[in-house]
Amino acid sequence: MSLNEEVELLRKIPLFAKIEPSKLKLLAFTSERLTYQGGQRLFQQGDIGDAAYIIIDGEASVRIRTDSGEIQVAELGKGDVVGEIAILCDVPRTASVEATGKLITLRITKELFFRLISEFPQISIEIMRELAARLERTNVQLREALNR
């Protein structure tokens, strides 16, 4: 994928939609492009959060440890952002993320992520919206699990 294609993908992600193309080009250029094969982990639950990841291509599974083993709680695909909770809240990773096949990501370091937030306050609003939506989905799942 070319730099311009990565910029186009970033523009389609609500988090980055209002950032000017030249800044998105800089983001794509300064981010690390990583490729994973099926079964490889981007990070493990409990790890220190040092970066967020944008899925450029492929799919990944979000998994959490429970008393009865690891369970999948979400699936991610092209354009999804993952790993931002640990860097925003300075907490260990809340879940593990594993490639389900060939997966290409952009890795955005914690420092770069915070620089983006300070330069573009709109990103903060989009992050809050995304986190609120995730919390609502989690609440629905929890209610459903308790009603079984």
Side-chain angles (χ1 to χ4, degrees), residues 40-96:
Q40 283 187 299
R41 296 227 163 161
L42 283 70
F43 51 81
Q44 186 84 19
Q45 184 176 345
D47 287 351
I48 300 297
D50 59 349
Y53 298 80
I54 300 168
I55 297 180
I56 298 297
D57 197 27
E59 295 179 346
S61 170
V62 179
R63 308 179 70 74
I64 59 169
R65 284 189 301 265
T66 69
D67 291 339
S68 55
E70 204 172 66
I71 60 168
Q72 179 176 314
V73 294
E75 291 182 15
L76 304 172
K78 187 175 183 174
D80 285 331
V81 179
V82 67
E84 74 284 7
I85 292 173
I87 62 176
L88 286 170
C89 301
D90 252 346
V91 296
R93 298 285 189 191
T94 58
S96 298

Short mmCIF file of all heavy atoms in Angstrom, two decimals, residues 40-96:
data_model
loop_
_atom_site.label_atom_id
_atom_site.label_comp_id
_atom_site.label_asym_id
_atom_site.label_seq_id
_atom_site.Cartn_x
_atom_site.Cartn_y
_atom_site.Cartn_z
N GLN A 40 -0.33 -14.58 15.30
CA GLN A 40 0.62 -13.68 15.96
C GLN A 40 -0.14 -12.61 16.73
O GLN A 40 -1.17 -12.13 16.29
CB GLN A 40 1.54 -13.00 14.94
CG GLN A 40 2.64 -13.89 14.42
CD GLN A 40 3.60 -13.08 13.56
OE1 GLN A 40 3.21 -12.52 12.54
NE2 GLN A 40 4.85 -13.03 13.99
N ARG A 41 0.42 -12.21 17.86
CA ARG A 41 -0.21 -11.20 18.71
C ARG A 41 0.42 -9.83 18.51
O ARG A 41 1.64 -9.71 18.45
CB ARG A 41 -0.09 -11.62 20.17
CG ARG A 41 -0.87 -12.91 20.45
CD ARG A 41 -1.70 -12.81 21.65
NE ARG A 41 -2.70 -13.87 21.65
CZ ARG A 41 -3.33 -14.26 22.72
NH1 ARG A 41 -3.08 -13.69 23.87
NH2 ARG A 41 -4.24 -15.21 22.64
N LEU A 42 -0.45 -8.82 18.43
CA LEU A 42 0.03 -7.44 18.41
C LEU A 42 0.51 -7.07 19.80
O LEU A 42 1.52 -6.42 19.98
CB LEU A 42 -1.09 -6.48 17.99
CG LEU A 42 -1.45 -6.41 16.52
CD1 LEU A 42 -2.14 -7.66 16.03
CD2 LEU A 42 -2.30 -5.20 16.24
N PHE A 43 -0.28 -7.49 20.80
CA PHE A 43 0.08 -7.30 22.19
C PHE A 43 -0.74 -8.25 23.05
O PHE A 43 -1.73 -8.81 22.60
CB PHE A 43 -0.08 -5.85 22.66
CG PHE A 43 -1.42 -5.24 22.35
CD1 PHE A 43 -2.53 -5.48 23.18
CD2 PHE A 43 -1.59 -4.40 21.26
CE1 PHE A 43 -3.75 -4.91 22.90
CE2 PHE A 43 -2.82 -3.82 20.98
CZ PHE A 43 -3.91 -4.07 21.81
N GLN A 44 -0.28 -8.40 24.28
CA GLN A 44 -0.86 -9.35 25.23
C GLN A 44 -1.56 -8.60 26.35
O GLN A 44 -1.06 -7.55 26.79
CB GLN A 44 0.28 -10.21 25.80
CG GLN A 44 -0.11 -11.33 26.69
CD GLN A 44 -0.49 -12.56 25.90
OE1 GLN A 44 -0.14 -12.70 24.73
NE2 GLN A 44 -1.22 -13.44 26.52
N GLN A 45 -2.68 -9.10 26.81
CA GLN A 45 -3.36 -8.52 27.97
C GLN A 45 -2.36 -8.41 29.12
O GLN A 45 -1.63 -9.35 29.41
CB GLN A 45 -4.53 -9.42 28.36
CG GLN A 45 -5.38 -8.89 29.50
CD GLN A 45 -6.58 -9.77 29.78
OE1 GLN A 45 -6.96 -10.63 28.99
NE2 GLN A 45 -7.20 -9.54 30.92
N GLY A 46 -2.32 -7.23 29.76
CA GLY A 46 -1.39 -7.01 30.86
C GLY A 46 -0.11 -6.30 30.47
O GLY A 46 0.59 -5.76 31.32
N ASP A 47 0.23 -6.29 29.14
CA ASP A 47 1.42 -5.58 28.68
C ASP A 47 1.29 -4.08 28.94
O ASP A 47 0.19 -3.54 29.03
CB ASP A 47 1.64 -5.77 27.17
CG ASP A 47 2.11 -7.16 26.79
OD1 ASP A 47 2.45 -7.95 27.69
OD2 ASP A 47 2.12 -7.45 25.57
N ILE A 48 2.42 -3.41 28.99
CA ILE A 48 2.43 -1.95 29.08
C ILE A 48 1.98 -1.39 27.73
O ILE A 48 2.42 -1.85 26.68
CB ILE A 48 3.86 -1.44 29.40
CG1 ILE A 48 4.35 -1.99 30.73
CG2 ILE A 48 3.91 0.10 29.40
CD1 ILE A 48 3.55 -1.56 31.92
N GLY A 49 1.11 -0.39 27.76
CA GLY A 49 0.62 0.22 26.53
C GLY A 49 1.57 1.28 26.03
O GLY A 49 1.69 2.33 26.64
N ASP A 50 2.24 1.01 24.91
CA ASP A 50 3.20 1.97 24.37
C ASP A 50 2.81 2.50 23.00
O ASP A 50 3.47 3.37 22.46
CB ASP A 50 4.60 1.34 24.29
CG ASP A 50 4.62 0.10 23.41
OD1 ASP A 50 3.53 -0.41 23.03
OD2 ASP A 50 5.72 -0.37 23.09
N ALA A 51 1.72 1.97 22.43
CA ALA A 51 1.32 2.38 21.08
C ALA A 51 -0.13 1.98 20.81
O ALA A 51 -0.67 1.08 21.46
CB ALA A 51 2.22 1.73 20.04
N ALA A 52 -0.72 2.65 19.85
CA ALA A 52 -2.03 2.27 19.31
C ALA A 52 -1.79 1.75 17.90
O ALA A 52 -0.75 2.03 17.28
CB ALA A 52 -2.97 3.47 19.27
N TYR A 53 -2.74 0.97 17.39
CA TYR A 53 -2.59 0.36 16.07
C TYR A 53 -3.82 0.67 15.22
O TYR A 53 -4.94 0.62 15.70
CB TYR A 53 -2.45 -1.16 16.19
CG TYR A 53 -1.23 -1.59 16.96
CD1 TYR A 53 -1.20 -1.57 18.35
CD2 TYR A 53 -0.08 -2.01 16.29
CE1 TYR A 53 -0.08 -1.96 19.06
CE2 TYR A 53 1.05 -2.40 17.00
CZ TYR A 53 1.04 -2.37 18.38
OH TYR A 53 2.16 -2.75 19.08
N ILE A 54 -3.56 0.96 13.95
CA ILE A 54 -4.64 1.13 12.97
C ILE A 54 -4.53 -0.05 12.01
O ILE A 54 -3.46 -0.31 11.46
CB ILE A 54 -4.49 2.44 12.19
CG1 ILE A 54 -4.53 3.63 13.14
CG2 ILE A 54 -5.58 2.55 11.12
CD1 ILE A 54 -4.12 4.93 12.50
N ILE A 55 -5.64 -0.75 11.82
CA ILE A 55 -5.61 -1.89 10.91
C ILE A 55 -5.74 -1.38 9.48
O ILE A 55 -6.72 -0.73 9.12
CB ILE A 55 -6.72 -2.90 11.24
CG1 ILE A 55 -6.46 -3.47 12.64
CG2 ILE A 55 -6.78 -4.01 10.20
CD1 ILE A 55 -7.47 -4.46 13.12
N ILE A 56 -4.71 -1.64 8.70
CA ILE A 56 -4.65 -1.24 7.30
C ILE A 56 -5.31 -2.29 6.42
O ILE A 56 -6.03 -1.99 5.48
CB ILE A 56 -3.18 -1.03 6.84
CG1 ILE A 56 -2.53 0.08 7.65
CG2 ILE A 56 -3.09 -0.75 5.35
CD1 ILE A 56 -3.17 1.43 7.47
N ASP A 57 -5.07 -3.56 6.75
CA ASP A 57 -5.66 -4.65 5.98
C ASP A 57 -5.67 -5.91 6.84
O ASP A 57 -4.76 -6.14 7.63
CB ASP A 57 -4.86 -4.90 4.70
CG ASP A 57 -5.65 -5.72 3.68
OD1 ASP A 57 -6.89 -5.67 3.70
OD2 ASP A 57 -5.00 -6.42 2.89
N GLY A 58 -6.71 -6.71 6.68
CA GLY A 58 -6.82 -7.96 7.42
C GLY A 58 -7.76 -7.84 8.60
O GLY A 58 -8.48 -6.85 8.75
N GLU A 59 -7.76 -8.89 9.42
CA GLU A 59 -8.65 -8.94 10.58
C GLU A 59 -7.89 -9.42 11.80
O GLU A 59 -6.89 -10.13 11.69
CB GLU A 59 -9.83 -9.87 10.29
CG GLU A 59 -10.72 -9.35 9.19
CD GLU A 59 -11.88 -10.27 8.89
OE1 GLU A 59 -11.88 -11.44 9.34
OE2 GLU A 59 -12.82 -9.82 8.22
N ALA A 60 -8.41 -9.02 12.97
CA ALA A 60 -7.80 -9.42 14.24
C ALA A 60 -8.90 -9.75 15.23
O ALA A 60 -10.04 -9.30 15.11
CB ALA A 60 -6.92 -8.30 14.77
N SER A 61 -8.53 -10.53 16.22
CA SER A 61 -9.44 -10.95 17.27
C SER A 61 -9.01 -10.30 18.58
O SER A 61 -7.84 -10.31 18.93
CB SER A 61 -9.36 -12.48 17.39
OG SER A 61 -10.04 -12.94 18.53
N VAL A 62 -9.98 -9.72 19.31
CA VAL A 62 -9.73 -9.16 20.63
C VAL A 62 -10.14 -10.22 21.64
O VAL A 62 -11.26 -10.71 21.62
CB VAL A 62 -10.54 -7.86 20.86
CG1 VAL A 62 -10.27 -7.30 22.25
CG2 VAL A 62 -10.22 -6.83 19.79
N ARG A 63 -9.20 -10.58 22.52
CA ARG A 63 -9.41 -11.70 23.43
C ARG A 63 -9.08 -11.28 24.86
O ARG A 63 -8.13 -10.52 25.08
CB ARG A 63 -8.53 -12.87 23.01
CG ARG A 63 -8.70 -13.21 21.51
CD ARG A 63 -7.82 -14.34 21.06
NE ARG A 63 -8.21 -15.63 21.60
CZ ARG A 63 -9.29 -16.32 21.21
NH1 ARG A 63 -10.07 -15.85 20.29
NH2 ARG A 63 -9.55 -17.50 21.75
N ILE A 64 -9.89 -11.78 25.81
CA ILE A 64 -9.60 -11.52 27.22
C ILE A 64 -9.51 -12.83 27.98
O ILE A 64 -10.15 -13.81 27.62
CB ILE A 64 -10.63 -10.58 27.89
CG1 ILE A 64 -12.04 -11.17 27.81
CG2 ILE A 64 -10.59 -9.19 27.28
CD1 ILE A 64 -13.05 -10.44 28.66
N ARG A 65 -8.68 -12.81 29.03
CA ARG A 65 -8.54 -13.98 29.89
C ARG A 65 -9.69 -14.00 30.90
O ARG A 65 -10.06 -12.97 31.45
CB ARG A 65 -7.22 -13.93 30.67
CG ARG A 65 -6.01 -14.27 29.84
CD ARG A 65 -4.76 -14.41 30.71
NE ARG A 65 -4.45 -13.21 31.47
CZ ARG A 65 -3.60 -12.27 31.06
NH1 ARG A 65 -2.97 -12.40 29.92
NH2 ARG A 65 -3.35 -11.22 31.82
N THR A 66 -10.23 -15.18 31.11
CA THR A 66 -11.24 -15.39 32.15
C THR A 66 -10.82 -16.60 32.97
O THR A 66 -9.86 -17.29 32.62
CB THR A 66 -12.64 -15.66 31.53
OG1 THR A 66 -12.62 -16.94 30.88
CG2 THR A 66 -13.03 -14.57 30.53
N ASP A 67 -11.55 -16.86 34.02
CA ASP A 67 -11.26 -18.03 34.86
C ASP A 67 -11.38 -19.33 34.08
O ASP A 67 -10.71 -20.31 34.38
CB ASP A 67 -12.19 -18.07 36.07
CG ASP A 67 -11.88 -16.95 37.06
OD1 ASP A 67 -10.75 -16.42 37.02
OD2 ASP A 67 -12.77 -16.63 37.87
N SER A 68 -12.24 -19.34 33.06
CA SER A 68 -12.43 -20.56 32.28
C SER A 68 -11.65 -20.55 30.97
O SER A 68 -11.91 -21.34 30.08
CB SER A 68 -13.92 -20.78 32.01
OG SER A 68 -14.48 -19.65 31.40
N GLY A 69 -10.68 -19.65 30.84
CA GLY A 69 -9.86 -19.59 29.63
C GLY A 69 -10.05 -18.28 28.89
O GLY A 69 -10.76 -17.39 29.33
N GLU A 70 -9.40 -18.18 27.76
CA GLU A 70 -9.45 -16.96 26.96
C GLU A 70 -10.69 -16.98 26.06
O GLU A 70 -11.02 -18.02 25.48
CB GLU A 70 -8.18 -16.88 26.11
CG GLU A 70 -7.82 -15.48 25.70
CD GLU A 70 -6.47 -15.41 25.02
OE1 GLU A 70 -6.31 -15.96 23.93
OE2 GLU A 70 -5.57 -14.80 25.61
N ILE A 71 -11.37 -15.84 25.95
CA ILE A 71 -12.54 -15.75 25.08
C ILE A 71 -12.40 -14.56 24.13
O ILE A 71 -11.76 -13.55 24.47
CB ILE A 71 -13.86 -15.62 25.86
CG1 ILE A 71 -13.87 -14.36 26.75
CG2 ILE A 71 -14.13 -16.87 26.68
CD1 ILE A 71 -15.22 -14.03 27.33
N GLN A 72 -12.99 -14.69 22.97
CA GLN A 72 -13.01 -13.60 22.00
C GLN A 72 -14.16 -12.67 22.34
O GLN A 72 -15.29 -13.12 22.52
CB GLN A 72 -13.17 -14.14 20.58
CG GLN A 72 -13.22 -13.04 19.54
CD GLN A 72 -13.28 -13.57 18.12
OE1 GLN A 72 -12.54 -14.46 17.78
NE2 GLN A 72 -14.15 -13.00 17.32
N VAL A 73 -13.87 -11.36 22.41
CA VAL A 73 -14.91 -10.39 22.74
C VAL A 73 -15.22 -9.45 21.58
O VAL A 73 -16.23 -8.75 21.61
CB VAL A 73 -14.56 -9.58 24.00
CG1 VAL A 73 -14.53 -10.48 25.23
CG2 VAL A 73 -13.24 -8.83 23.85
N ALA A 74 -14.35 -9.42 20.57
CA ALA A 74 -14.59 -8.55 19.43
C ALA A 74 -13.73 -8.98 18.25
O ALA A 74 -12.72 -9.67 18.43
CB ALA A 74 -14.29 -7.09 19.78
N GLU A 75 -14.17 -8.56 17.06
CA GLU A 75 -13.38 -8.74 15.85
C GLU A 75 -13.09 -7.37 15.28
O GLU A 75 -13.95 -6.49 15.31
CB GLU A 75 -14.16 -9.58 14.83
CG GLU A 75 -14.34 -11.02 15.23
CD GLU A 75 -15.08 -11.84 14.17
OE1 GLU A 75 -15.21 -11.36 13.03
OE2 GLU A 75 -15.53 -12.93 14.52
N LEU A 76 -11.90 -7.20 14.75
CA LEU A 76 -11.48 -5.93 14.17
C LEU A 76 -11.16 -6.12 12.71
O LEU A 76 -10.73 -7.19 12.29
CB LEU A 76 -10.24 -5.40 14.90
CG LEU A 76 -10.36 -5.23 16.41
CD1 LEU A 76 -8.99 -4.90 17.00
CD2 LEU A 76 -11.35 -4.14 16.73
N GLY A 77 -11.34 -5.05 11.93
CA GLY A 77 -11.02 -5.10 10.52
C GLY A 77 -10.45 -3.78 10.03
O GLY A 77 -10.16 -2.87 10.82
N LYS A 78 -10.33 -3.68 8.74
CA LYS A 78 -9.73 -2.52 8.09
C LYS A 78 -10.32 -1.21 8.62
O LYS A 78 -11.53 -1.05 8.68
CB LYS A 78 -9.96 -2.62 6.58
CG LYS A 78 -9.26 -1.58 5.77
CD LYS A 78 -9.46 -1.84 4.29
CE LYS A 78 -8.71 -0.86 3.43
NZ LYS A 78 -8.80 -1.19 2.01
N GLY A 79 -9.42 -0.32 9.04
CA GLY A 79 -9.83 0.99 9.53
C GLY A 79 -10.05 1.07 11.03
O GLY A 79 -10.18 2.16 11.58
N ASP A 80 -10.09 -0.07 11.71
CA ASP A 80 -10.29 -0.05 13.16
C ASP A 80 -9.01 0.38 13.87
O ASP A 80 -7.90 0.11 13.42
CB ASP A 80 -10.72 -1.43 13.67
CG ASP A 80 -12.17 -1.74 13.35
OD1 ASP A 80 -12.98 -0.80 13.25
OD2 ASP A 80 -12.50 -2.93 13.22
N VAL A 81 -9.20 1.03 15.02
CA VAL A 81 -8.10 1.47 15.86
C VAL A 81 -8.17 0.63 17.14
O VAL A 81 -9.25 0.43 17.70
CB VAL A 81 -8.21 2.96 16.21
CG1 VAL A 81 -7.08 3.41 17.12
CG2 VAL A 81 -8.25 3.81 14.95
N VAL A 82 -7.03 0.15 17.60
CA VAL A 82 -6.99 -0.67 18.82
C VAL A 82 -5.75 -0.31 19.62
O VAL A 82 -4.73 0.12 19.06
CB VAL A 82 -7.00 -2.18 18.46
CG1 VAL A 82 -5.74 -2.59 17.74
CG2 VAL A 82 -7.24 -3.04 19.69
N GLY A 83 -5.86 -0.46 20.94
CA GLY A 83 -4.72 -0.22 21.80
C GLY A 83 -4.66 1.16 22.40
O GLY A 83 -3.76 1.47 23.18
N GLU A 84 -5.63 1.99 22.08
CA GLU A 84 -5.60 3.38 22.57
C GLU A 84 -5.96 3.49 24.04
O GLU A 84 -5.51 4.42 24.72
CB GLU A 84 -6.49 4.28 21.71
CG GLU A 84 -7.97 4.15 21.91
CD GLU A 84 -8.60 2.92 21.28
OE1 GLU A 84 -7.90 2.04 20.77
OE2 GLU A 84 -9.83 2.85 21.32
N ILE A 85 -6.73 2.56 24.58
CA ILE A 85 -7.14 2.65 25.99
C ILE A 85 -5.92 2.63 26.91
O ILE A 85 -5.80 3.45 27.81
CB ILE A 85 -8.13 1.52 26.36
CG1 ILE A 85 -9.46 1.73 25.63
CG2 ILE A 85 -8.36 1.48 27.87
CD1 ILE A 85 -10.44 0.60 25.80
N ALA A 86 -5.02 1.70 26.68
CA ALA A 86 -3.84 1.57 27.55
C ALA A 86 -2.96 2.82 27.51
O ALA A 86 -2.41 3.21 28.55
CB ALA A 86 -3.02 0.34 27.16
N ILE A 87 -2.84 3.46 26.35
CA ILE A 87 -1.98 4.65 26.31
C ILE A 87 -2.71 5.89 26.82
O ILE A 87 -2.08 6.78 27.38
CB ILE A 87 -1.34 4.89 24.92
CG1 ILE A 87 -2.36 5.12 23.84
CG2 ILE A 87 -0.42 3.76 24.56
CD1 ILE A 87 -1.76 5.46 22.49
N LEU A 88 -4.03 5.93 26.66
CA LEU A 88 -4.77 7.09 27.17
C LEU A 88 -4.90 7.06 28.69
O LEU A 88 -4.84 8.10 29.34
CB LEU A 88 -6.19 7.11 26.57
CG LEU A 88 -6.29 7.55 25.12
CD1 LEU A 88 -7.69 7.30 24.58
CD2 LEU A 88 -5.91 9.01 24.96
N CYS A 89 -5.09 5.88 29.26
CA CYS A 89 -5.35 5.75 30.69
C CYS A 89 -4.13 5.35 31.49
O CYS A 89 -4.21 5.23 32.72
CB CYS A 89 -6.46 4.73 30.91
SG CYS A 89 -8.01 5.16 30.09
N ASP A 90 -3.01 5.09 30.83
CA ASP A 90 -1.79 4.64 31.50
C ASP A 90 -2.05 3.40 32.35
O ASP A 90 -1.69 3.34 33.53
CB ASP A 90 -1.18 5.75 32.36
CG ASP A 90 0.09 6.29 31.75
OD1 ASP A 90 0.64 5.65 30.83
OD2 ASP A 90 0.54 7.36 32.19
N VAL A 91 -2.74 2.43 31.76
CA VAL A 91 -3.02 1.16 32.41
C VAL A 91 -2.47 0.04 31.54
O VAL A 91 -2.22 0.23 30.35
CB VAL A 91 -4.54 0.96 32.62
CG1 VAL A 91 -5.10 2.01 33.56
CG2 VAL A 91 -5.30 0.97 31.30
N PRO A 92 -2.28 -1.13 32.11
CA PRO A 92 -1.85 -2.27 31.28
C PRO A 92 -2.91 -2.59 30.23
O PRO A 92 -4.09 -2.23 30.38
CB PRO A 92 -1.72 -3.42 32.29
CG PRO A 92 -1.55 -2.76 33.61
CD PRO A 92 -2.34 -1.48 33.54
N ARG A 93 -2.51 -3.28 29.18
CA ARG A 93 -3.44 -3.67 28.12
C ARG A 93 -4.62 -4.42 28.71
O ARG A 93 -4.44 -5.32 29.53
CB ARG A 93 -2.75 -4.56 27.09
CG ARG A 93 -1.59 -3.91 26.37
CD ARG A 93 -2.05 -2.94 25.34
NE ARG A 93 -0.92 -2.49 24.52
CZ ARG A 93 -0.99 -1.48 23.68
NH1 ARG A 93 -2.12 -0.83 23.54
NH2 ARG A 93 0.06 -1.13 22.97
N THR A 94 -5.82 -4.04 28.31
CA THR A 94 -7.05 -4.63 28.86
C THR A 94 -7.45 -5.91 28.14
O THR A 94 -8.35 -6.61 28.58
CB THR A 94 -8.21 -3.63 28.79
OG1 THR A 94 -8.40 -3.23 27.44
CG2 THR A 94 -7.91 -2.40 29.66
N ALA A 95 -6.79 -6.21 27.03
CA ALA A 95 -7.10 -7.41 26.25
C ALA A 95 -5.88 -7.75 25.40
O ALA A 95 -4.96 -6.95 25.28
CB ALA A 95 -8.31 -7.17 25.35
N SER A 96 -5.91 -8.94 24.83
CA SER A 96 -4.90 -9.34 23.85
C SER A 96 -5.51 -9.16 22.47
O SER A 96 -6.71 -9.32 22.29
CB SER A 96 -4.52 -10.81 24.05
OG SER A 96 -3.96 -11.01 25.32
#
